[in-house]
Amino acid sequence: MKIAVCLKQVPDTEAKLRVAPDGRWIVEDDLPFVINESDEYALEEALRIAEQLGGEVIVFSLGPERVREALRKALALGAARAVHLSHAA
């Protein structure tokens, strides 16, 4: 069985957010990003299911290069494979 889990990186909830000068987004310089809490729960449950029933967990994430950190963490937690989807937009 293959179990797919989608991960999203979000700013750390304890980080201080600053609005960018253009007002359209936040300033990401030196802002710590973490795996979305709900996605981390989904990963843990997928790993539990794979352990009980056999199979592998594959994690997917779409985003900039910093997403690789979240994928590496998922691999460290026990995911078998990770896929980084990237798009210029």
Side-chain angles (χ1 to χ4, degrees), residues 19-35:
V19 177
D22 65 3
R24 296 179 62 199
W25 188 236
I26 56 176
V27 177
E28 293 185 11
D29 301 339
D30 300 326
L31 184 63
F33 281 82
V34 296
I35 297 174

Side-chain angles (χ1 to χ4, degrees), residues 8-44:
K8 180 177 181 179
Q9 256 193 340
V10 295
D12 190 334
T13 56
E14 296 188 17
K16 183 176 180 180
L17 301 179
R18 294 176 290 141
V19 177
D22 65 3
R24 296 179 62 199
W25 188 236
I26 56 176
V27 177
E28 293 185 11
D29 301 339
D30 300 326
L31 184 63
F33 281 82
V34 296
I35 297 174
N36 180 14
E37 185 177 1
S38 298
D39 296 347
E40 198 160 355
Y41 291 142
L43 174 60
E44 290 173 7

Side-chain angles (χ1 to χ4, degrees), residues 1-6 39-59 78-79:
M1 172 188 333
K2 296 181 192 295
I3 304 170
V5 178
C6 297
D39 296 347
E40 198 160 355
Y41 291 142
L43 174 60
E44 290 173 7
E45 186 62 25
L47 292 168
R48 193 172 300 119
I49 291 169
E51 184 178 315
Q52 290 174 352
L53 304 177
E56 67 178 349
V57 175
I58 305 165
V59 292

